[in-house]
Amino acid sequence: MREAKKDEGGGKRVATGTDKDQSWIPKIIKKRVCTTFVEDSFSNGALCQCGASRETHTAVAVGDYFSTAIVSRWESSQHSSEQPTDAFGQLDFLGAGRRQGRFLRLSCDTPPGIVYTLMTAHWGLPVPNLVLSLVGGEGRVKVKSWIREVLRRGLVRVAQSTGAWIITGGLREGLTRCIGEAVRDHRAAAASLSHSKVIALGIAPWGLVLNRQQLVNPKGSFPARYYVQNTSHDSHSLDHNYEAFLLVDDGSVGRRGGETGFRVSLEDHISHQRTGILGSGSIEIPVLCMLVGGDSALLERVDLSLRKSGPWLVLAGSGGVADLICEMLGKLASAASEMQAAPASPELRDQVGDLVKKHFPSDEESNMEKLTERALSIYLNRELITVYHGEQDGPDDFDTVLLRVLVRARKNRGSHGASPHTEELKLAVAWNRVDIAKSELFNGDIQWKYEDLEDSFTDALVNDKPQFVRLFMENGLNILEYLTYGRLEALYHSVPDSSVLYVQLQRRLSERQSAGGFVPYSSKPSAQGMENPQCGPRSIKDLSLYEVSRVLWDILGDVCQPFYYQPLELGQNTSSRRAVKSVSRLLQGTCAYREQRCQSPWLALFMWAVLQNRGEMASFFWEMAEESVLTALSGCKILRELSKLEDETEAQLSMKELAQRFENLAHDIFRKCYESSESRSFTLLIAKSAAWGGATCLQMAMAADARHFFSHDGVQALLSQIWWGDMERSTDMWRLILTFFIPPLIYTNLISFKRDQEEDCKDKNIPHIWETDGLEGETIFSFADIKPTEEEAEEYRALRSKRPSARTYKHPYVVFRWRQFWFAPITTFLGNVLMYFLFLFLFAYVLLIDFKPPPSQGPTTTELVLYFWVFTLVCEEIRQSFFIASTSVSQRIRLYIQDVWNKCDLTAISLFIIALICRMFETSYECGRAVLSLDFLVFTLRLIHIFEIHKQMGPKIIIVGKMMKDVFFFLFFLLVWLMAYGVANQALLYSYDHRPDWILRRIFYRPYLHIFGQIPLEELDATKMGKMNCTNNVTLIHAGFEPCMDTYANWLVIVLLVVYLLVTNILLINLLIAMFSHTFTKVQDNSDIYWKFQRYRLIEEYHSRPSLAPPFIILSHLHLFIKRNIRRVPSMKVLDFALELDDKKFNKLVTWESIQKEGFLVAQNKKQRESDSERLKRTSAKVDSMLKQVTEIRDHDRRLRLLENELDYCTNALSWMVEVLSQSNLVSITRPPPTFKEPSPASQN
C-alpha cells in the first residue's frame, strides 16, 4: 500500500510508506552496542570509556577481562557491534503543539544511500534543490544578535525560496535551536504564500539525546510519545521544529562527534544525486556547509568535507574555528605563490601553528601538532572556502553569496568546460529563483548563446518552472530550433508515474507492445545533444508519439483528426491495427522523425502541459500559441475529460478549475474579436484549423461542454443567422406559417429575404448561392448581412469564391427563391413539428378507434399508413447514426447513443416493433395494444425536445430535467420508508394471507395512496371495522374466503400510520420541495446559458436534416442514395458548420485573432497592476529598497566616522612632529609653517 503525497515544492507526488511498510527497517538498519567494557580511569571503575555505566553493559562485555586488560582506549569500530535498530517511526512531541515528525536510530556505518532513499521514498520528504549543512555553535553558547539575523533572514529565507534541506544537530541548544525557531517562524508566516517548504533535518548522536528511552520500540513507534519541556534554557532534547531526525549510534553515551563521519558521507552522497522530479534535473544537488564558530574539534570535520570537494561558507566574526580560518585566509594570502612552490614549507607551517595557538591556547601541546596539520590542510583547499562578513554585509545578499559559492565549487569540482554563467543559471533554475536570474544573469551584461540555455530550458520544462520558461523565451531561445519530435517524446518520458496521463500512456504502450512487438526506445542523445531524462520505469521510456496521439484521440474523440500521424508516416484514415504495425516497423529503424522539428511547437507544448494539469505553464504556452480561442477550448476539453479519469478529489477539482479558466479565456478573447469585427468573428467560429486536425471552434466548444462560451451574443448571433437562413430574422412567425401552407406566397413580399440573387449578381458581382445537395439542404449560411466595410466585402468575395461547393452558374429566380425558403433550418423545423403533430394525431386515432384485431380484420389502411410513417422515422434515425460524420461506424453509434433524445427515439421505435409483432397474433393481440399505448406515451414525450428551441419554454424544460434527478433521490427515500411501513402494517393486520397480489397491494399500493389522503379507516382501525364475511381458517382462506383482520395490536397500527404520515407528508414532501427550490434557484440563474447551449444542438440537428419531413423524407433519402452511390457525388458538408480557408486567408484570420488576444492580455496586465495587491507588493518592494539604502547609509556613516577618527589622529601626530622639529636644531627653518584656512561659504557652495 502506498499513499500519495504532493511535494509542496514542485507539485510532485511522493509515495509515503504506511506503518506496516516500515517493518523492514530493523532488517536493514542497525544500531551499535558496546561489547567491551573499557574502564574509565576517572570514574573508579563505574563507567566505561564509551560513557555508559557498568550496569548497562551485558555480562559478556563486563566479563571480558582479557580484552579489557590489553585495551587502553575505547574505539567504536572495535569495541561495539551492530544489532537491529529498536528506535524508528513517527515522533509525537507532547507539550509542543506541533504535528508529528520522523526519527531513526542507525549505526554510524550505515550506507548513506539507504538512508536517503528511506527519507525521500518512504518518509515523503521532497527531493531537495539545495542542502545547507550548519556546522558549529553547539553546546550552551550565547548566539550573537547579528548571527541570529543572518540565520533568520538569510539562511532560512534562502532555504525556503529554493526548497532546501537544512541539516543541523537537531537538539535544543545553541545555533541548532535558533535554526529551529527560524524555520518555525517562516513556516507560520509563509505557509500560504510559498510553494516551497524548508525541511529541517537533525543529525544527532544517539547517546546524547535526552529521554531517548521514550523512543525505543523494537517494532517501531507510530507514534512515539516524546515529552518536551517547554523551557527557555538549552537542553539535549530533540527540537520539535525539525521535520526528521537521524540519531547516529556509535555505541557511546553522552559524547559528541560520533555522527560526524556519517554526516559527511550523507552530504557527499546527496551531492551526487540530481535535482528535479525523479532526478530529471540538469545538475547534481548542491551541498553547502556553513561554519559558525566552533571548537578545535571541528577542524577535523571541515578537513574531511574539503577533501571530498565540499564547499564551505565561513561566517566571519562568529568566533572559534570560523575566526581562525578567516584570519588564516586573510593573513596568509600573501604566501600563496610560495605555497604553490612548496606546499608544506616550514615558514607557512609555523605561521599556521601560531594562529592555531592564538585561537586555542588552552589545548594540549600534544594535540596542537594535529590541529596544525588539519588547519594547514584546510588552507591548501582554500578555493572551496568563502568568507561571509555577515556583520558588515547583512543578510539581504545572502542568496547571491550562496550562488557564487556554489558556482565556484562546481568549477573546482570538475566542470571546467562549462561557462560560470551557465553554472549560475543551472543553480538558479534548480532553486527556482527567477529573481536572481533576472538581476544577476539576464541584466544585459551577458550575451547568451542558444547552447547555454538549452539544458536549463529543458530542466525548467520538466520540473514545472514557468517563470524560467518565460524568461528564456524573452532572452532569445528559439523554440522552433529547440523542439524536435525526439525532444517532445523525451518530455513525455518525464511524466510522473502517479499521474493519470502516465496511466493512459502505459495502457496504450502495452497495447502496442503486445500487438506489434516490443521496441525499446533509443537512449542515444539527439542531434542537439539533449539526453533523455532518466525518470520513470523502463517501459515509459519506450513510448513514442504514437501513444501520445492515441491518448489525445481518446480524449478529444472525433472532434479532430489524430495528431502526429504525419511524422509517423501514417495516413489520417489508417486503422488502429495497421497503425500499430507501421509504427512498430518505423521504430525498429533509425527513427529519423525524431530529428525533425515540430511543426507547431507551442501547440505541442500546450498539450503536454495541459495533459499534466500544469496550469501556469499551460497558460504561458497558450499566450504564445496561435488560434487562441480554439486552443483554449481544446484545453478545456482535455482537462474535463481527464478529470473524469482522475481518482483524487483534489486533482480532479484542480482540473475542473483550470478547464473553466480556459473556457473563460476563450469567451473573453472571442468577445474582443466580436467587438472588433462581427464578420471575422463569425468566420473564426466555423473556420477549420489544420493545426487542430480540422476542428472548428464551435465543434470544440460543443465537445468541451463550454456552456459559458455558447452564451456569448456573438455565438448566438451566428446560430440565429444559420437558423433563419437567407430570411430576415425579424420575420413574424405567422408569416412563416402562412407561407408554409401557401407556398406561392414565397414570391411575394410577405417574407423579406436578405438578398436577391439578381441584384446580388448585378450590383456586387458575387458568385451565386453555394450548391447544396438537393433536398438535404446542405448549407444555408450566408455572409451577405455581416459586411460592415468595403474591405471586409472584398474578403467576403474572395472567401466565397474559394469555397469548394461554389458554382458560377445561375439558378432560375423561381428555383432560387424556393430554395431560400425551404432549405432554411427554421422551415425544416416547422415542417417537422407540424408533421409530428399530425403523426401523433394519426397514432391516437389508430390506437383509440381504428386498431382492429389480427387478420383478416386488421391492420387497416390508416394503421398501414402509421407503419409506413414509422418506417420513414427509422430511416432517418439510421441516416443520423451511420451517415453523419467521418469517424468509424462504432464511434458513430457510440456518439449517437450518447444523446438522451436518441435513446428516447430508440426506445419508441423498439416498443413499436414489439407491439407490431404482438398485434399480428390473436394470442398476443392485447399485449400488442398495451405496448402500443406505452409507445404513444414515449412518442408524445418526444415533443419536449422540439420545444427546447423556444426562448421561454427552453429554460423551463432544462429546469424540469434537473428536477427529475431530485425526484429519483426522493423516490429512493420514499421507497425505503414505504416498504418498512407496508411490511409492518401487513404483518400486524393479517396473520396469514397467501395471495401475493394482495400482499403487494397492501405493502406498496395502499401506503402510497395514504400520502394523498386516501386512508380507509375501516381496513385499519378495528373500532371502525363493520361486519365482514371473513375467516381465520387457513383451509377456507385457501378456498377463497377473505382473511380476518387481527385486532391484537391494532393500536400499534394506528401509531405506525401516524408516524408514517408524519414522515412522508411533512418530512419527505418538504424535503422534496426544498430540493426543488434549491435546484430551481441554482439552475434559474444559469438557465439561459443552458438553453443557449441546448439551442446549438437543435439548430445543428435541423441544419443537417433534409428539408422534407416524415413521411415525405423518404424522397430525400432516395435522392441522397442515388447521389452518393450511383452518381458518386461526394458530400460537400461532411462536417456541419465547417468552412475551409486557404492558407493566405487563414493566416490573415489568425493574425487578426492574435492582435485581439494581445490587446486583451495588455488590458488584463494593466488591470492586474492596478489592483490593490500589486500596489502593496510594489510599495513593499520600495520600502525594502529604502531600508536597504538606509542601512547602507548607516554603514557609510560608520565608516566616515572611523576615517574622521583616523584623520584626527594623523593630524595630531603631524602637529606634534612639526612642533618637535621646530623646537630642535636638527632642521633649519627657512619659512614659517603653513596656516589652516577654513573654506568660505561661497567656495562650499
Side-chain angles (χ1 to χ4, degrees):
M1 295 292 295
R2 294 193 311 169
E3 300 173 350
K5 180 178 179 181
K6 287 198 174 182
D7 177 8
E8 298 180 20
K12 186 188 76 168
R13 295 174 184 158
V14 183
T16 61
T18 59
D19 300 348
K20 295 182 179 179
D21 288 337
Q22 299 187 18
S23 59
W24 55 268
I25 291 181
K27 301 177 183 178
I28 299 178
I29 307 298
K30 308 297 181 181
K31 67 176 182 179
R32 278 201 169 269
V33 178
C34 179
T35 56
T36 304
F37 184 85
V38 181
E39 182 178 335
D40 187 1
S41 59
F42 297 98
S43 62
N44 296 325
L47 298 177
C48 175
Q49 289 188 16
C50 70
S53 62
R54 181 182 294 270
E55 290 76 11
T56 58
H57 287 71
T58 61
V60 177
V62 177
D64 191 1
Y65 297 105
F66 178 77
S67 299
T68 304
I70 63 174
V71 172
S72 59
R73 181 180 178 86
W74 186 89
E75 296 288 344
S76 174
S77 58
Q78 299 179 6
H79 306 128
S80 64
S81 62
E82 291 186 344
Q83 297 180 8
T85 184
D86 57 359
F88 62 92
Q90 296 177 350
L91 194 60
D92 189 4
F93 291 92
L94 301 178
R98 78 174 290 270
R99 57 183 180 79
Q100 297 175 343
R102 301 276 187 170
F103 74 98
L104 173 66
R105 177 185 182 183
L106 68 159
S107 170
C108 58
D109 297 329
T110 304
I114 298 177
V115 180
Y116 180 74
T117 303
L118 173 68
M119 290 189 295
T120 55
H122 296 274
W123 286 3
L125 300 184
V127 176
N129 294 321
L130 171 68
V131 174
L132 298 172
S133 180
L134 186 66
V135 180
E138 298 173 343
R140 300 182 179 181
V141 296
K142 185 177 181 181
V143 182
K144 300 177 182 179
S145 59
W146 67 269
I147 296 180
R148 288 178 178 271
E149 192 69 12
V150 168
L151 295 178
R152 186 179 67 84
R153 295 181 53 191
L155 183 67
V156 178
R157 186 183 64 180
V158 168
Q160 188 175 31
S161 63
T162 58
W165 287 5
I166 297 181
I167 300 179
T168 66
L171 302 179
R172 290 172 53 84
E173 60 176 8
L175 288 178
T176 303
R177 181 171 181 173
C178 294
I179 289 292
E181 292 173 351
V183 169
R184 176 199 62 197
D185 296 340
H186 275 267
R187 184 184 296 141
S192 60
L193 301 177
S194 177
H195 297 288
S196 299
K197 177 181 178 182
V198 179
I199 301 298
L201 176 64
I203 302 180
W206 165 260
L208 195 64
V209 176
L210 186 65
N211 299 328
R212 57 186 176 275
Q213 294 303 320
Q214 298 176 5
L215 309 178
V216 175
N217 187 348
K219 296 182 180 180
S221 301
F222 302 99
R225 310 293 182 181
Y226 188 78
Y227 179 73
V228 177
Q229 187 176 2
N230 196 9
T231 58
S232 58
H233 58 80
D234 294 343
S235 64
H236 290 168
S237 61
L238 299 178
D239 194 330
H240 62 276
N241 295 308
Y242 282 68
E243 189 78 15
F245 298 91
L246 298 178
L247 307 179
V248 183
D249 189 5
D250 65 343
S252 64
V253 176
R255 293 185 178 181
R256 300 182 186 271
E259 79 286 359
T260 301
F262 172 79
R263 183 170 172 179
V264 172
S265 301
L266 178 63
E267 294 167 357
D268 181 66
H269 175 80
I270 294 177
S271 67
H272 291 84
Q273 309 304 309
R274 302 189 76 85
T275 60
I277 301 174
L278 297 174
S280 58
S282 59
I283 63 170
E284 296 174 343
I285 300 176
V287 177
L288 176 64
C289 298
M290 183 175 179
L291 180 60
V292 181
D295 54 14
S296 58
L298 285 182
L299 286 173
E300 181 181 1
R301 166 75 172 87
V302 177
D303 185 35
L304 287 176
S305 181
L306 289 175
R307 291 177 185 272
K308 294 186 178 183
S309 301
W312 280 78
L313 183 66
V314 180
L315 191 59
S318 58
V321 175
D323 286 353
L324 168 63
I325 295 177
C326 293
E327 188 175 356
M328 184 170 56
L329 295 180
K331 289 189 175 181
L332 302 183
S334 58
S337 57
E338 181 182 355
M339 185 270 304
Q340 291 176 358
S345 62
E347 182 180 357
L348 180 61
R349 186 183 300 272
D350 293 341
Q351 293 179 359
V352 172
D354 294 339
L355 291 177
V356 172
K357 291 179 181 179
K358 174 183 176 182
H359 286 273
F360 303 105
S362 59
D363 279 46
E364 298 179 359
E365 191 67 28
S366 59
N367 193 37
M368 196 62 64
E369 184 66 24
K370 185 182 297 185
L371 295 179
T372 303
E373 291 293 333
R374 295 289 186 187
L376 183 59
S377 176
I378 291 171
Y379 180 76
L380 296 179
N381 293 284
R382 64 186 181 277
E383 295 84 3
L384 297 172
I385 302 175
T386 301
V387 178
Y388 179 68
H389 300 277
E391 190 173 10
Q392 298 178 8
D393 299 336
D396 294 325
D397 298 330
F398 192 76
D399 47 5
T400 306
V401 173
L402 288 185
L403 186 65
R404 305 288 187 191
V405 172
L406 293 174
V407 169
R408 189 169 65 177
R410 286 178 57 82
K411 291 293 294 181
N412 293 326
R413 194 166 182 171
S415 303
H416 296 286
S419 168
H421 300 305
T422 305
E423 297 298 321
E424 290 184 53
L425 181 59
K426 289 181 178 180
L427 286 172
V429 172
W431 298 355
N432 200 20
R433 292 299 302 273
V434 70
D435 54 337
I436 294 180
K438 287 182 178 179
S439 60
E440 300 292 333
L441 303 175
F442 293 98
N443 53 9
D445 298 336
I446 305 173
Q447 296 297 326
W448 291 98
K449 299 179 181 179
Y450 168 77
E451 295 79 7
D452 299 333
L453 304 177
E454 187 177 5
D455 292 339
S456 298
F457 185 73
T458 304
D459 192 4
L461 284 175
V462 172
N463 294 289
D464 193 17
K465 297 172 181 177
Q467 293 181 336
F468 271 101
V469 174
R470 186 185 297 270
L471 183 65
F472 289 142
M473 297 311 304
E474 293 173 353
N475 287 273
L477 189 136
N478 188 353
I479 194 64
L480 294 174
E481 183 178 354
Y482 171 82
L483 191 64
T484 61
Y485 288 115
R487 268 210 181 90
L488 186 60
E489 285 185 353
L491 290 177
Y492 279 101
H493 295 167
S494 65
V495 174
D497 57 0
S498 54
S499 64
V500 65
L501 174 60
Y502 179 89
V503 177
Q504 299 301 315
L505 290 174
Q506 281 279 42
R507 181 172 62 86
R508 284 299 179 182
L509 178 61
S510 61
E511 291 177 2
R512 175 174 64 83
Q513 291 178 350
S514 60
F518 174 74
V519 181
Y521 180 82
S522 175
S523 60
K524 185 172 56 177
S526 62
Q528 285 81 4
M530 170 186 161
E531 296 182 1
N532 302 308
Q534 302 298 322
C535 54
R538 178 177 179 269
S539 59
I540 196 63
K541 292 185 289 185
D542 298 322
L543 70 84
S544 64
L545 286 181
Y546 176 75
E547 285 72 43
V548 179
S549 175
R550 294 301 301 173
V551 170
L552 290 172
W553 176 259
D554 294 339
I555 293 174
L556 295 175
D558 65 334
V559 181
C560 52
Q561 296 175 350
F563 291 90
Y564 309 125
Y565 267 30
Q566 182 179 357
L568 294 174
E569 301 177 5
L570 298 175
Q572 295 295 341
N573 298 323
T574 307
S575 63
S576 299
R577 184 176 300 178
R578 291 183 179 179
V580 168
K581 294 181 179 180
S582 177
V583 170
S584 299
R585 290 194 299 268
L586 178 65
L587 295 178
Q588 291 175 357
T590 57
C591 300
Y593 76 91
R594 288 174 177 157
E595 306 299 329
Q596 299 177 12
R597 295 181 180 179
C598 188
Q599 294 182 353
S600 303
W602 292 119
L603 185 62
L605 291 175
F606 173 78
M607 289 188 290
W608 172 78
V610 167
L611 287 171
Q612 298 184 78
N613 193 25
R614 295 182 174 182
E616 191 175 353
M617 186 83 76
S619 298
F620 171 69
F621 293 146
W622 172 82
E623 294 177 10
M624 302 300 295
E626 296 180 339
E627 305 177 55
S628 54
V629 175
L630 181 56
T631 302
L633 292 172
S634 303
C636 176
K637 165 68 174 175
I638 294 173
L639 288 165
R640 283 177 176 162
E641 291 297 327
L642 287 177
S643 66
K644 300 175 183 178
L645 304 175
E646 182 62 62
D647 296 329
E648 293 187 7
T649 305
E650 185 178 353
Q652 197 176 68
L653 184 62
S654 174
M655 289 179 179
K656 291 180 179 179
E657 291 177 352
L658 185 57
Q660 188 60 46
R661 196 166 95 194
F662 278 122
E663 183 181 349
N664 295 337
L665 285 173
H667 178 275
D668 295 338
I669 297 298
F670 182 74
R671 174 175 53 82
K672 292 287 292 184
C673 295
Y674 186 69
E675 293 173 356
S676 174
S677 173
E678 184 177 341
S679 61
R680 288 181 177 177
S681 63
F682 287 172
T683 309
L684 181 67
L685 289 176
I686 62 174
K688 297 173 66 174
S689 169
W692 281 102
T696 66
C697 291
L698 282 181
Q699 292 173 345
M700 192 64 73
M702 184 65 190
D705 197 21
R707 295 183 174 91
H708 182 55
F709 180 79
F710 272 104
S711 67
H712 190 271
D713 293 339
V715 180
Q716 292 302 308
L718 175 63
L719 295 179
S720 298
Q721 180 173 305
I722 296 176
W723 180 243
W724 284 92
D726 282 338
M727 291 183 288
E728 291 290 343
R729 282 179 282 178
S730 59
T731 303
D732 296 328
M733 187 57 63
W734 68 268
R735 296 173 183 266
L736 186 65
I737 297 175
L738 184 62
T739 307
F740 184 86
F741 287 103
I742 309 176
L745 295 178
I746 297 174
Y747 304 102
T748 66
N749 293 327
L750 184 65
I751 295 181
S752 300
F753 290 88
K754 296 176 183 176
R755 59 186 178 86
D756 184 87
Q757 184 191 31
E758 294 179 355
E759 294 177 357
D760 186 74
C761 297
K762 180 179 179 180
D763 300 335
K764 302 179 183 179
N765 194 24
I766 295 177
H768 301 292
I769 190 75
W770 300 320
E771 176 71 9
T772 59
D773 289 345
L775 297 175
E776 185 180 2
E778 280 291 318
T779 182
I780 44 77
F781 182 72
S782 174
F783 289 96
D785 62 331
I786 52 174
K787 305 189 301 299
T789 63
E790 288 297 328
E791 180 183 356
E792 293 182 0
E794 182 181 353
E795 293 182 4
Y796 156 75
R797 288 193 286 272
L799 180 65
R800 293 198 43 176
S801 64
K802 294 297 184 180
R803 183 171 175 88
S805 58
R807 296 290 185 267
T808 57
Y809 58 84
K810 299 180 181 180
H811 287 293
Y813 175 76
V814 176
V815 178
F816 175 72
R817 182 53 58 87
W818 181 271
R819 296 166 67 92
Q820 278 185 310
F821 179 79
W822 289 105
F823 289 168
I826 189 172
T827 309
T828 305
F829 172 76
L830 182 60
N832 278 268
V833 171
L834 295 176
M835 296 305 293
Y836 197 79
F837 274 107
L838 184 60
F839 166 74
L840 292 179
F841 175 77
L842 177 63
F843 201 152
Y845 175 79
V846 171
L847 187 62
L848 299 176
I849 300 175
D850 204 19
F851 194 72
K852 303 298 181 180
S856 60
Q857 299 182 27
T860 62
T861 304
T862 55
E863 192 175 350
L864 291 176
V865 173
L866 178 64
Y867 295 162
F868 177 75
W869 203 315
V870 174
F871 171 74
T872 60
L873 292 176
V874 173
C875 293
E876 175 60 17
E877 295 300 321
I878 293 175
R879 187 194 69 83
Q880 292 182 16
S881 57
F882 290 96
F883 300 100
I884 297 296
S886 59
T887 55
S888 61
V889 176
S890 60
Q891 288 179 333
R892 295 175 191 172
I893 296 175
R894 178 175 56 83
L895 293 173
Y896 175 81
I897 295 177
Q898 285 179 354
D899 188 82
V900 177
W901 295 110
N902 288 336
K903 295 177 183 177
C904 181
D905 292 336
L906 289 177
T907 304
I909 292 172
S910 301
L911 289 176
F912 192 88
I913 294 173
I914 295 172
L916 177 62
I917 295 173
C918 292
R919 71 99 54 230
M920 293 300 176
F921 304 96
E922 293 184 2
T923 55
S924 58
Y925 168 72
E926 293 297 335
C927 177
R929 183 183 180 88
V931 174
L932 205 62
S933 302
L934 295 176
D935 194 29
F936 180 79
L937 174 65
V938 179
F939 272 113
T940 306
L941 290 176
R942 191 66 169 80
L943 285 173
I944 297 177
H945 174 57
I946 295 176
F947 291 103
E948 282 184 346
I949 195 66
H950 197 267
K951 190 169 185 179
Q952 280 73 35
M953 295 183 63
K956 300 303 183 290
I957 292 174
I958 295 172
I959 293 176
V960 170
K962 296 288 183 180
M963 287 183 175
M964 289 300 296
K965 298 180 181 179
D966 297 335
V967 171
F968 284 112
F969 287 107
F970 167 78
L971 290 178
F972 170 75
F973 292 112
L974 179 63
L975 182 62
V976 172
W977 186 245
L978 187 142
M979 182 184 297
Y981 169 74
V983 173
N985 190 22
Q986 173 70 13
L988 291 172
L989 287 176
Y990 298 96
S991 60
Y992 178 76
D993 192 351
H994 70 288
R995 298 170 297 179
D997 54 339
W998 279 93
I999 292 176
L1000 293 176
R1001 278 172 176 266
R1002 296 190 183 111
I1003 290 177
F1004 294 103
Y1005 181 61
R1006 188 167 66 182
Y1008 180 73
L1009 294 179
H1010 289 352
I1011 301 175
F1012 303 98
Q1014 297 186 16
I1015 306 173
L1017 292 177
E1018 65 276 3
E1019 297 180 8
L1020 300 174
D1021 192 352
T1023 60
K1024 303 290 184 179
M1025 182 178 59
K1027 293 182 179 181
M1028 297 180 61
N1029 186 16
C1030 62
T1031 180
N1032 288 324
N1033 192 319
V1034 176
T1035 304
L1036 294 177
I1037 292 175
H1038 280 279
F1041 284 83
E1042 183 73 18
C1044 291
M1045 187 167 36
D1046 191 355
T1047 60
Y1048 172 74
N1050 191 256
W1051 64 271
L1052 189 57
V1053 174
I1054 304 302
V1055 173
L1056 288 178
L1057 176 62
V1058 173
V1059 176
Y1060 171 73
L1061 294 177
L1062 177 67
V1063 173
T1064 54
N1065 287 22
I1066 298 179
L1067 180 62
L1068 293 182
I1069 296 299
N1070 282 279
L1071 174 63
L1072 180 62
I1073 295 173
M1075 293 171 65
F1076 281 172
S1077 300
H1078 173 71
T1079 302
F1080 183 84
T1081 305
K1082 179 181 178 182
V1083 179
Q1084 179 64 26
D1085 297 337
N1086 299 320
S1087 61
D1088 187 62
I1089 296 177
Y1090 282 99
W1091 169 72
K1092 289 178 178 178
F1093 182 72
Q1094 296 294 336
R1095 181 171 178 255
Y1096 169 80
R1097 292 175 179 268
L1098 197 66
I1099 293 176
E1100 184 186 32
E1101 177 183 349
Y1102 284 96
H1103 177 260
S1104 62
R1105 276 195 175 191
S1107 299
L1108 297 179
F1112 306 108
I1113 198 172
I1114 192 68
L1115 300 176
S1116 296
H1117 292 160
L1118 291 175
H1119 175 265
L1120 288 176
F1121 179 79
I1122 295 172
K1123 196 170 187 178
R1124 299 287 180 266
N1125 296 279
I1126 298 177
R1127 297 176 57 194
R1128 299 293 182 181
V1129 178
S1131 174
M1132 294 294 102
K1133 194 178 175 187
V1134 178
L1135 296 175
D1136 295 331
F1137 298 82
L1139 183 65
E1140 191 165 358
L1141 304 176
D1142 59 18
D1143 293 341
K1144 182 179 179 181
K1145 298 295 185 299
F1146 186 78
N1147 290 335
K1148 290 181 66 176
L1149 183 66
V1150 170
T1151 303
W1152 170 76
E1153 181 189 12
S1154 301
I1155 293 173
Q1156 308 308 315
K1157 179 182 68 174
E1158 292 297 328
F1160 169 77
L1161 294 176
V1162 169
Q1164 287 291 102
N1165 293 333
K1166 182 179 179 181
K1167 183 178 179 181
Q1168 184 177 2
R1169 287 195 303 268
E1170 293 177 353
S1171 62
D1172 294 338
S1173 59
E1174 290 297 323
R1175 289 181 179 180
L1176 287 175
K1177 288 182 180 179
R1178 291 195 296 269
T1179 304
S1180 177
K1182 291 179 180 179
V1183 170
D1184 291 340
S1185 177
M1186 292 180 62
L1187 290 176
K1188 187 175 181 179
Q1189 292 178 3
V1190 169
T1191 304
E1192 293 177 355
I1193 291 173
R1194 290 179 179 176
D1195 183 59
H1196 292 323
D1197 182 68
R1198 180 179 60 83
R1199 293 181 180 181
L1200 287 175
R1201 292 179 182 274
L1202 291 176
L1203 289 175
E1204 288 178 356
N1205 292 334
E1206 293 179 358
L1207 185 59
D1208 289 342
Y1209 170 76
C1210 294
T1211 303
N1212 294 332
L1214 289 174
S1215 300
W1216 178 79
M1217 293 173 63
V1218 170
E1219 183 179 357
V1220 169
L1221 290 174
S1222 63
Q1223 295 178 358
S1224 65
N1225 297 324
L1226 297 176
V1227 180
S1228 60
I1229 300 174
T1230 58
R1231 61 183 179 86
T1235 58
F1236 177 74
K1237 295 182 179 180
E1238 295 185 0
S1240 62
S1243 62
Q1244 291 180 359
N1245 294 332

